[in-house]
Short mmCIF file of all heavy atoms in Angstrom, two decimals:
data_model
loop_
_atom_site.label_atom_id
_atom_site.label_comp_id
_atom_site.label_asym_id
_atom_site.label_seq_id
_atom_site.Cartn_x
_atom_site.Cartn_y
_atom_site.Cartn_z
N MET A 1 45.74 85.78 177.57
CA MET A 1 46.78 86.57 176.93
C MET A 1 46.64 86.54 175.40
O MET A 1 46.60 85.50 174.78
CB MET A 1 48.17 86.02 177.29
CG MET A 1 48.47 86.13 178.78
SD MET A 1 48.66 87.86 179.30
CE MET A 1 50.28 88.20 178.60
N ASP A 2 46.51 87.74 174.85
CA ASP A 2 46.46 87.80 173.39
C ASP A 2 47.86 87.64 172.81
O ASP A 2 48.83 88.15 173.36
CB ASP A 2 45.88 89.14 172.94
CG ASP A 2 44.40 89.20 173.24
OD1 ASP A 2 43.76 88.13 173.36
OD2 ASP A 2 43.89 90.32 173.36
N GLN A 3 47.89 86.98 171.71
CA GLN A 3 49.19 86.80 171.06
C GLN A 3 49.29 87.71 169.84
O GLN A 3 48.32 87.88 169.12
CB GLN A 3 49.38 85.36 170.60
CG GLN A 3 49.51 84.40 171.78
CD GLN A 3 49.72 82.98 171.29
OE1 GLN A 3 49.55 82.72 170.12
NE2 GLN A 3 50.07 82.10 172.19
N ASP A 4 50.43 88.27 169.66
CA ASP A 4 50.65 89.07 168.45
C ASP A 4 50.59 88.17 167.22
O ASP A 4 51.09 87.05 167.25
CB ASP A 4 52.02 89.75 168.50
CG ASP A 4 51.96 91.00 169.38
OD1 ASP A 4 50.85 91.49 169.63
OD2 ASP A 4 53.02 91.44 169.83
N LYS A 5 49.97 88.72 166.20
CA LYS A 5 49.88 87.94 164.95
C LYS A 5 50.99 88.34 163.98
O LYS A 5 50.88 88.17 162.78
CB LYS A 5 48.52 88.15 164.30
CG LYS A 5 47.40 87.54 165.14
CD LYS A 5 46.07 87.70 164.44
CE LYS A 5 44.96 87.08 165.31
NZ LYS A 5 43.64 87.24 164.68
N THR A 6 51.99 88.94 164.56
CA THR A 6 53.11 89.34 163.70
C THR A 6 53.83 88.10 163.17
O THR A 6 54.32 87.29 163.95
CB THR A 6 54.12 90.19 164.48
OG1 THR A 6 53.44 91.32 165.01
CG2 THR A 6 55.25 90.65 163.57
N PRO A 7 53.84 87.95 161.88
CA PRO A 7 54.53 86.79 161.28
C PRO A 7 56.03 86.89 161.50
O PRO A 7 56.60 87.98 161.49
CB PRO A 7 54.18 86.87 159.79
CG PRO A 7 53.88 88.32 159.56
CD PRO A 7 53.28 88.84 160.86
N GLN A 8 56.63 85.76 161.71
CA GLN A 8 58.09 85.74 161.86
C GLN A 8 58.69 84.85 160.78
O GLN A 8 58.94 83.67 161.01
CB GLN A 8 58.47 85.24 163.25
CG GLN A 8 58.04 86.21 164.33
CD GLN A 8 58.47 85.76 165.71
OE1 GLN A 8 58.95 84.65 165.87
NE2 GLN A 8 58.30 86.63 166.69
N PRO A 9 58.87 85.41 159.62
CA PRO A 9 59.42 84.62 158.49
C PRO A 9 60.83 84.13 158.81
O PRO A 9 61.61 84.83 159.46
CB PRO A 9 59.43 85.61 157.32
CG PRO A 9 59.48 86.96 157.97
CD PRO A 9 58.70 86.82 159.27
N GLU A 10 61.11 82.96 158.36
CA GLU A 10 62.46 82.42 158.56
C GLU A 10 63.44 83.16 157.65
O GLU A 10 63.08 83.57 156.55
CB GLU A 10 62.48 80.93 158.23
CG GLU A 10 61.60 80.13 159.19
CD GLU A 10 61.64 78.66 158.84
OE1 GLU A 10 62.33 78.32 157.87
OE2 GLU A 10 60.99 77.88 159.55
N PRO A 11 64.62 83.33 158.13
CA PRO A 11 65.63 84.02 157.31
C PRO A 11 65.89 83.26 156.03
O PRO A 11 66.02 82.04 156.04
CB PRO A 11 66.87 84.04 158.20
CG PRO A 11 66.64 82.98 159.23
CD PRO A 11 65.13 82.90 159.41
N GLN A 12 65.94 83.98 154.94
CA GLN A 12 66.17 83.33 153.65
C GLN A 12 67.38 83.93 152.95
O GLN A 12 67.37 84.20 151.76
CB GLN A 12 64.93 83.48 152.77
CG GLN A 12 63.72 82.77 153.36
CD GLN A 12 62.51 82.91 152.47
OE1 GLN A 12 62.54 83.66 151.52
NE2 GLN A 12 61.45 82.20 152.80
N GLY A 13 68.39 84.21 153.73
CA GLY A 13 69.58 84.84 153.15
C GLY A 13 70.67 83.83 152.83
O GLY A 13 71.82 84.18 152.69
N ALA A 14 70.26 82.58 152.72
CA ALA A 14 71.26 81.54 152.46
C ALA A 14 71.85 81.72 151.07
O ALA A 14 71.14 82.03 150.12
CB ALA A 14 70.63 80.16 152.58
N PRO A 15 73.15 81.54 150.95
CA PRO A 15 73.80 81.63 149.64
C PRO A 15 73.24 80.59 148.68
O PRO A 15 72.73 79.56 149.11
CB PRO A 15 75.27 81.32 149.95
CG PRO A 15 75.43 81.57 151.40
CD PRO A 15 74.10 81.29 152.02
N ALA A 16 73.32 80.90 147.41
CA ALA A 16 72.78 79.99 146.41
C ALA A 16 73.48 78.64 146.45
O ALA A 16 72.90 77.63 146.13
CB ALA A 16 72.91 80.60 145.02
N GLN A 17 74.74 78.66 146.84
CA GLN A 17 75.50 77.42 146.84
C GLN A 17 74.90 76.40 147.80
O GLN A 17 74.95 75.21 147.57
CB GLN A 17 76.95 77.68 147.25
CG GLN A 17 77.78 78.33 146.15
CD GLN A 17 77.59 79.84 146.13
OE1 GLN A 17 76.77 80.37 146.86
NE2 GLN A 17 78.33 80.54 145.31
N ASP A 18 74.30 76.89 148.88
CA ASP A 18 73.73 75.99 149.86
C ASP A 18 72.43 75.38 149.36
O ASP A 18 71.90 74.46 149.94
CB ASP A 18 73.49 76.73 151.18
CG ASP A 18 74.82 77.04 151.86
OD1 ASP A 18 75.83 76.47 151.42
OD2 ASP A 18 74.83 77.84 152.79
N ALA A 19 71.91 75.93 148.27
CA ALA A 19 70.64 75.44 147.74
C ALA A 19 70.87 74.39 146.68
O ALA A 19 69.95 74.00 145.98
CB ALA A 19 69.83 76.60 147.18
N GLY A 20 72.11 73.95 146.57
CA GLY A 20 72.39 72.91 145.59
C GLY A 20 72.62 73.46 144.21
O GLY A 20 72.55 72.75 143.23
N ILE A 21 72.89 74.77 144.15
CA ILE A 21 73.14 75.40 142.86
C ILE A 21 74.63 75.67 142.71
O ILE A 21 75.24 76.27 143.58
CB ILE A 21 72.37 76.72 142.73
CG1 ILE A 21 70.88 76.47 142.88
CG2 ILE A 21 72.67 77.38 141.38
CD1 ILE A 21 70.30 75.57 141.81
N THR A 22 75.18 75.21 141.62
CA THR A 22 76.58 75.47 141.34
C THR A 22 76.69 76.61 140.33
O THR A 22 75.99 76.63 139.34
CB THR A 22 77.25 74.21 140.76
OG1 THR A 22 77.08 73.14 141.68
CG2 THR A 22 78.74 74.44 140.55
N VAL A 23 77.57 77.56 140.65
CA VAL A 23 77.71 78.72 139.78
C VAL A 23 79.10 78.71 139.16
O VAL A 23 80.10 78.57 139.85
CB VAL A 23 77.52 80.03 140.58
CG1 VAL A 23 77.66 81.24 139.65
CG2 VAL A 23 76.15 80.03 141.26
N CYS A 24 79.15 78.88 137.86
CA CYS A 24 80.42 78.95 137.16
C CYS A 24 81.13 80.24 137.57
O CYS A 24 80.53 81.33 137.51
CB CYS A 24 80.22 78.90 135.65
SG CYS A 24 81.75 79.13 134.73
N SER A 25 82.40 80.12 137.98
CA SER A 25 83.13 81.30 138.45
C SER A 25 83.59 82.16 137.28
O SER A 25 84.10 83.26 137.49
CB SER A 25 84.33 80.86 139.29
OG SER A 25 85.22 80.10 138.51
N VAL A 26 83.44 81.69 136.08
CA VAL A 26 83.92 82.44 134.92
C VAL A 26 82.77 83.18 134.23
O VAL A 26 82.79 84.39 134.09
CB VAL A 26 84.63 81.52 133.92
CG1 VAL A 26 85.05 82.30 132.68
CG2 VAL A 26 85.83 80.86 134.59
N CYS A 27 81.77 82.44 133.80
CA CYS A 27 80.70 83.06 133.01
C CYS A 27 79.43 83.23 133.82
O CYS A 27 78.49 83.89 133.39
CB CYS A 27 80.42 82.24 131.76
SG CYS A 27 79.63 80.65 132.08
N GLY A 28 79.38 82.67 135.01
CA GLY A 28 78.22 82.87 135.87
C GLY A 28 77.07 81.92 135.58
O GLY A 28 75.98 82.07 136.13
N ALA A 29 77.31 80.94 134.76
CA ALA A 29 76.26 79.96 134.46
C ALA A 29 75.94 79.17 135.73
O ALA A 29 76.78 78.98 136.60
CB ALA A 29 76.72 79.02 133.36
N THR A 30 74.69 78.75 135.83
CA THR A 30 74.28 78.00 137.02
C THR A 30 73.74 76.64 136.62
O THR A 30 73.25 76.44 135.51
CB THR A 30 73.19 78.75 137.79
OG1 THR A 30 72.07 78.98 136.93
CG2 THR A 30 73.72 80.08 138.30
N ALA A 31 73.84 75.71 137.55
CA ALA A 31 73.32 74.37 137.31
C ALA A 31 72.93 73.77 138.65
O ALA A 31 73.49 74.11 139.69
CB ALA A 31 74.35 73.51 136.61
N GLU A 32 71.98 72.88 138.62
CA GLU A 32 71.57 72.22 139.86
C GLU A 32 72.63 71.19 140.26
O GLU A 32 73.13 70.46 139.41
CB GLU A 32 70.23 71.53 139.67
CG GLU A 32 69.09 72.53 139.50
CD GLU A 32 67.75 71.81 139.46
OE1 GLU A 32 67.71 70.65 139.88
OE2 GLU A 32 66.77 72.42 139.03
N GLY A 33 72.94 71.18 141.52
CA GLY A 33 73.93 70.23 142.01
C GLY A 33 75.29 70.53 141.40
O GLY A 33 75.62 71.67 141.10
N THR A 34 76.09 69.50 141.25
CA THR A 34 77.41 69.66 140.64
C THR A 34 77.52 68.70 139.46
O THR A 34 77.83 67.54 139.63
CB THR A 34 78.53 69.36 141.65
OG1 THR A 34 78.33 70.15 142.81
CG2 THR A 34 79.89 69.65 141.06
N PRO A 35 77.26 69.21 138.28
CA PRO A 35 77.34 68.36 137.08
C PRO A 35 78.72 67.72 136.94
O PRO A 35 79.73 68.37 137.22
CB PRO A 35 77.07 69.34 135.93
CG PRO A 35 76.34 70.49 136.56
CD PRO A 35 76.87 70.58 137.96
N VAL A 36 78.73 66.49 136.50
CA VAL A 36 80.02 65.80 136.36
C VAL A 36 80.86 66.42 135.27
O VAL A 36 82.07 66.24 135.23
CB VAL A 36 79.79 64.30 136.04
CG1 VAL A 36 79.12 63.61 137.22
CG2 VAL A 36 78.96 64.14 134.79
N THR A 37 80.21 67.17 134.38
CA THR A 37 80.96 67.79 133.29
C THR A 37 81.62 69.08 133.74
O THR A 37 82.43 69.64 133.03
CB THR A 37 80.02 68.10 132.11
OG1 THR A 37 78.91 68.86 132.58
CG2 THR A 37 79.51 66.81 131.49
N TRP A 38 81.27 69.52 134.94
CA TRP A 38 81.88 70.74 135.46
C TRP A 38 83.19 70.41 136.14
O TRP A 38 83.39 69.30 136.63
CB TRP A 38 80.94 71.44 136.43
CG TRP A 38 79.79 72.15 135.75
CD1 TRP A 38 79.07 71.70 134.67
CD2 TRP A 38 79.24 73.43 136.10
NE1 TRP A 38 78.11 72.61 134.34
CE2 TRP A 38 78.18 73.69 135.20
CE3 TRP A 38 79.54 74.37 137.09
CZ2 TRP A 38 77.42 74.86 135.27
CZ3 TRP A 38 78.78 75.52 137.16
CH2 TRP A 38 77.74 75.76 136.26
N THR A 39 84.04 71.40 136.22
CA THR A 39 85.34 71.21 136.83
C THR A 39 85.43 72.01 138.12
O THR A 39 85.02 73.17 138.16
CB THR A 39 86.47 71.65 135.88
OG1 THR A 39 86.41 70.86 134.70
CG2 THR A 39 87.83 71.49 136.53
N CYS A 40 85.95 71.37 139.15
CA CYS A 40 86.12 72.07 140.42
C CYS A 40 87.60 72.23 140.70
O CYS A 40 88.37 71.29 140.59
CB CYS A 40 85.47 71.29 141.56
SG CYS A 40 85.79 72.00 143.18
N SER A 41 87.99 73.45 141.03
CA SER A 41 89.39 73.68 141.38
C SER A 41 89.45 74.54 142.63
O SER A 41 88.60 75.40 142.85
CB SER A 41 90.12 74.37 140.22
OG SER A 41 89.58 75.66 140.00
N VAL A 42 90.45 74.29 143.44
CA VAL A 42 90.59 75.07 144.67
C VAL A 42 91.80 75.98 144.55
O VAL A 42 92.92 75.51 144.33
CB VAL A 42 90.75 74.15 145.89
CG1 VAL A 42 90.93 74.98 147.16
CG2 VAL A 42 89.54 73.23 146.01
N GLU A 43 91.55 77.27 144.64
CA GLU A 43 92.63 78.24 144.54
C GLU A 43 92.55 79.21 145.69
O GLU A 43 91.49 79.78 145.96
CB GLU A 43 92.53 78.99 143.21
CG GLU A 43 92.65 78.04 142.02
CD GLU A 43 92.54 78.81 140.71
OE1 GLU A 43 92.56 80.05 140.78
OE2 GLU A 43 92.43 78.18 139.67
N HIS A 44 93.66 79.39 146.36
CA HIS A 44 93.70 80.31 147.51
C HIS A 44 92.65 79.92 148.55
O HIS A 44 92.08 80.78 149.22
CB HIS A 44 93.49 81.76 147.06
CG HIS A 44 94.42 82.18 145.96
ND1 HIS A 44 95.78 82.26 146.13
CD2 HIS A 44 94.18 82.50 144.68
CE1 HIS A 44 96.33 82.64 144.99
NE2 HIS A 44 95.39 82.79 144.10
N GLY A 45 92.37 78.63 148.65
CA GLY A 45 91.42 78.17 149.64
C GLY A 45 89.98 78.39 149.24
O GLY A 45 89.07 78.10 150.01
N VAL A 46 89.77 78.88 148.03
CA VAL A 46 88.40 79.11 147.56
C VAL A 46 88.07 78.11 146.46
O VAL A 46 88.84 77.94 145.53
CB VAL A 46 88.24 80.55 147.01
CG1 VAL A 46 86.82 80.76 146.48
CG2 VAL A 46 88.58 81.55 148.10
N ARG A 47 86.94 77.45 146.63
CA ARG A 47 86.55 76.46 145.64
C ARG A 47 85.87 77.14 144.46
O ARG A 47 84.94 77.89 144.62
CB ARG A 47 85.59 75.46 146.29
CG ARG A 47 85.26 74.30 145.38
CD ARG A 47 84.42 73.29 146.10
NE ARG A 47 85.12 72.69 147.23
CZ ARG A 47 84.60 71.76 148.01
NH1 ARG A 47 83.38 71.34 147.79
NH2 ARG A 47 85.28 71.26 149.01
N ARG A 48 86.38 76.87 143.29
CA ARG A 48 85.82 77.46 142.08
C ARG A 48 85.24 76.35 141.22
O ARG A 48 85.80 75.27 141.11
CB ARG A 48 86.91 78.19 141.28
CG ARG A 48 87.43 79.43 141.97
CD ARG A 48 88.65 79.94 141.21
NE ARG A 48 89.16 81.19 141.78
CZ ARG A 48 88.85 82.39 141.30
NH1 ARG A 48 88.03 82.49 140.30
NH2 ARG A 48 89.34 83.47 141.86
N TYR A 49 84.15 76.67 140.58
CA TYR A 49 83.56 75.72 139.64
C TYR A 49 83.58 76.31 138.24
O TYR A 49 83.34 77.50 138.05
CB TYR A 49 82.12 75.39 140.03
CG TYR A 49 82.03 74.55 141.28
CD1 TYR A 49 81.80 75.13 142.52
CD2 TYR A 49 82.17 73.17 141.19
CE1 TYR A 49 81.71 74.36 143.65
CE2 TYR A 49 82.08 72.39 142.32
CZ TYR A 49 81.85 72.99 143.56
OH TYR A 49 81.76 72.23 144.68
N LEU A 50 83.87 75.46 137.28
CA LEU A 50 83.84 75.90 135.89
C LEU A 50 82.82 75.06 135.14
O LEU A 50 82.82 73.83 135.26
CB LEU A 50 85.22 75.73 135.23
CG LEU A 50 86.37 76.51 135.87
CD1 LEU A 50 87.66 76.24 135.11
CD2 LEU A 50 86.07 78.01 135.89
N CYS A 51 81.99 75.70 134.37
CA CYS A 51 81.03 74.96 133.57
C CYS A 51 81.79 74.22 132.46
O CYS A 51 82.97 74.44 132.25
CB CYS A 51 79.96 75.89 132.99
SG CYS A 51 80.58 77.00 131.71
N GLU A 52 81.07 73.38 131.76
CA GLU A 52 81.73 72.54 130.76
C GLU A 52 82.46 73.38 129.72
O GLU A 52 83.59 73.11 129.36
CB GLU A 52 80.68 71.66 130.09
CG GLU A 52 81.31 70.67 129.13
CD GLU A 52 80.26 69.75 128.54
OE1 GLU A 52 79.07 69.91 128.87
OE2 GLU A 52 80.63 68.87 127.76
N ALA A 53 81.79 74.42 129.25
CA ALA A 53 82.38 75.25 128.20
C ALA A 53 83.64 75.94 128.71
O ALA A 53 84.67 75.95 128.04
CB ALA A 53 81.36 76.28 127.73
N CYS A 54 83.56 76.53 129.91
CA CYS A 54 84.71 77.25 130.46
C CYS A 54 85.82 76.28 130.82
O CYS A 54 87.00 76.59 130.68
CB CYS A 54 84.28 78.06 131.68
SG CYS A 54 83.18 79.44 131.26
N ALA A 55 85.45 75.11 131.28
CA ALA A 55 86.47 74.12 131.64
C ALA A 55 87.27 73.73 130.42
O ALA A 55 88.50 73.62 130.47
CB ALA A 55 85.80 72.90 132.26
N ARG A 56 86.57 73.54 129.32
CA ARG A 56 87.27 73.18 128.08
C ARG A 56 88.18 74.30 127.63
O ARG A 56 89.28 74.09 127.16
CB ARG A 56 86.26 72.88 126.99
CG ARG A 56 85.57 71.53 127.19
CD ARG A 56 84.60 71.26 126.06
NE ARG A 56 83.97 69.95 126.21
CZ ARG A 56 83.06 69.48 125.36
NH1 ARG A 56 82.67 70.23 124.34
NH2 ARG A 56 82.54 68.29 125.54
N ALA A 57 87.69 75.53 127.77
CA ALA A 57 88.44 76.69 127.30
C ALA A 57 89.67 76.93 128.18
O ALA A 57 90.66 77.48 127.73
CB ALA A 57 87.56 77.92 127.30
N ASN A 58 89.57 76.49 129.42
CA ASN A 58 90.65 76.80 130.36
C ASN A 58 91.33 75.54 130.89
O ASN A 58 92.04 75.60 131.88
CB ASN A 58 90.09 77.60 131.53
CG ASN A 58 89.55 78.94 131.08
OD1 ASN A 58 90.28 79.89 130.87
ND2 ASN A 58 88.24 79.03 130.93
N ILE A 59 91.10 74.43 130.22
CA ILE A 59 91.63 73.17 130.73
C ILE A 59 93.15 73.22 130.86
O ILE A 59 93.73 72.70 131.80
CB ILE A 59 91.19 72.00 129.84
CG1 ILE A 59 91.61 70.68 130.45
CG2 ILE A 59 91.76 72.15 128.43
CD1 ILE A 59 90.92 70.35 131.76
N ARG A 60 93.79 73.88 129.94
CA ARG A 60 95.25 73.93 129.99
C ARG A 60 95.72 74.74 131.19
O ARG A 60 96.68 74.39 131.86
CB ARG A 60 95.79 74.56 128.71
CG ARG A 60 95.55 73.65 127.51
CD ARG A 60 95.96 74.34 126.23
NE ARG A 60 95.68 73.52 125.05
CZ ARG A 60 95.76 73.96 123.80
NH1 ARG A 60 96.13 75.22 123.58
NH2 ARG A 60 95.49 73.17 122.79
N ALA A 61 95.01 75.82 131.47
CA ALA A 61 95.38 76.65 132.60
C ALA A 61 95.15 75.88 133.90
O ALA A 61 95.93 75.99 134.84
CB ALA A 61 94.55 77.92 132.60
N ILE A 62 94.08 75.12 133.92
CA ILE A 62 93.78 74.36 135.14
C ILE A 62 94.84 73.30 135.37
O ILE A 62 95.34 73.14 136.47
CB ILE A 62 92.39 73.69 135.01
CG1 ILE A 62 91.30 74.77 134.95
CG2 ILE A 62 92.14 72.75 136.19
CD1 ILE A 62 89.93 74.21 134.62
N GLU A 63 95.18 72.61 134.31
CA GLU A 63 96.18 71.56 134.45
C GLU A 63 97.53 72.15 134.84
O GLU A 63 98.33 71.53 135.50
CB GLU A 63 96.30 70.78 133.14
CG GLU A 63 95.05 69.94 132.88
CD GLU A 63 95.19 69.13 131.60
OE1 GLU A 63 96.10 69.43 130.81
OE2 GLU A 63 94.38 68.22 131.40
N GLY A 64 97.78 73.38 134.38
CA GLY A 64 99.02 74.05 134.70
C GLY A 64 98.97 74.69 136.08
O GLY A 64 99.95 75.23 136.55
N LYS A 65 97.78 74.62 136.71
CA LYS A 65 97.59 75.20 138.04
C LYS A 65 97.99 76.67 138.07
O LYS A 65 98.65 77.14 138.98
CB LYS A 65 98.36 74.41 139.10
CG LYS A 65 97.80 73.01 139.28
CD LYS A 65 98.52 72.28 140.39
CE LYS A 65 97.92 70.89 140.59
NZ LYS A 65 98.58 70.13 141.64
N LEU A 66 97.60 77.38 137.03
CA LEU A 66 97.88 78.80 137.00
C LEU A 66 96.80 79.56 137.76
O LEU A 66 95.67 79.09 137.88
CB LEU A 66 97.91 79.30 135.56
CG LEU A 66 99.02 78.68 134.69
CD1 LEU A 66 98.86 79.16 133.26
CD2 LEU A 66 100.39 79.07 135.23
N ASP A 67 97.13 80.72 138.23
CA ASP A 67 96.13 81.56 138.86
C ASP A 67 95.09 81.97 137.82
O ASP A 67 95.41 82.10 136.63
CB ASP A 67 96.75 82.81 139.47
CG ASP A 67 97.36 82.51 140.82
OD1 ASP A 67 97.07 81.43 141.35
OD2 ASP A 67 98.14 83.33 141.31
N THR A 68 93.90 82.22 138.28
CA THR A 68 92.84 82.62 137.35
C THR A 68 92.75 84.13 137.24
O THR A 68 91.83 84.66 136.65
CB THR A 68 91.49 82.06 137.83
OG1 THR A 68 91.26 82.51 139.15
CG2 THR A 68 91.48 80.55 137.78
N ASP A 69 93.71 84.82 137.81
CA ASP A 69 93.64 86.28 137.81
C ASP A 69 93.68 86.85 136.39
O ASP A 69 93.14 87.90 136.13
CB ASP A 69 94.81 86.86 138.61
CG ASP A 69 94.68 86.49 140.08
OD1 ASP A 69 93.56 86.12 140.48
OD2 ASP A 69 95.68 86.58 140.79
N TRP A 70 94.33 86.10 135.51
CA TRP A 70 94.51 86.63 134.16
C TRP A 70 93.32 86.32 133.27
O TRP A 70 93.27 86.77 132.15
CB TRP A 70 95.78 86.07 133.55
CG TRP A 70 95.77 84.57 133.44
CD1 TRP A 70 96.17 83.70 134.40
CD2 TRP A 70 95.34 83.77 132.34
NE1 TRP A 70 95.99 82.41 133.96
CE2 TRP A 70 95.50 82.42 132.70
CE3 TRP A 70 94.84 84.08 131.06
CZ2 TRP A 70 95.15 81.37 131.85
CZ3 TRP A 70 94.50 83.02 130.22
CH2 TRP A 70 94.66 81.68 130.60
N TRP A 71 92.38 85.58 133.78
CA TRP A 71 91.22 85.23 132.94
C TRP A 71 90.43 86.47 132.59
O TRP A 71 90.09 87.24 133.45
CB TRP A 71 90.35 84.21 133.64
CG TRP A 71 90.97 82.85 133.63
CD1 TRP A 71 92.15 82.48 133.07
CD2 TRP A 71 90.45 81.67 134.26
NE1 TRP A 71 92.37 81.16 133.31
CE2 TRP A 71 91.37 80.65 134.00
CE3 TRP A 71 89.27 81.43 134.99
CZ2 TRP A 71 91.14 79.37 134.49
CZ3 TRP A 71 89.08 80.16 135.45
CH2 TRP A 71 89.99 79.13 135.20
ZN1 ZN B 101 81.29 79.03 132.49
#
């Protein structure tokens, strides 16, 4: 029996988050893993990450637990 030589590539549609990349929800900056300088907040059941710069800029809003809709 001859076998087809058709390659069967593995699906590579995994989200970037699963690759150990953290994306800033504000400016879109990326970093490997989850830097300790980044801030993680959960809003509406969605986990958001803020890079160091954005976290500093929005630290008051985060502490006030305001929605990020106005950002
Ligand atoms: Zn940012």
Side-chain angles (χ1 to χ4, degrees):
M1 296 292 285
D2 288 337
Q3 292 181 348
D4 281 341
K5 293 183 180 179
T6 303
Q8 293 183 351
E10 295 180 359
Q12 296 181 351
Q17 285 84 354
D18 289 347
I21 301 297
T22 303
V23 181
C24 175
S25 62
V26 177
C27 70
T30 57
E32 291 186 17
T34 306
V36 294
T37 54
W38 285 40
T39 299
C40 174
S41 65
V42 179
E43 299 180 9
H44 308 295
V46 178
R47 187 175 297 181
R48 292 171 177 264
Y49 289 97
L50 299 180
C51 70
E52 185 176 2
C54 292
R56 286 181 178 179
N58 296 280
I59 186 65
R60 292 174 183 170
I62 295 172
E63 290 182 346
K65 294 184 178 179
L66 297 175
D67 279 346
T68 56
D69 294 342
W70 60 273
W71 286 358

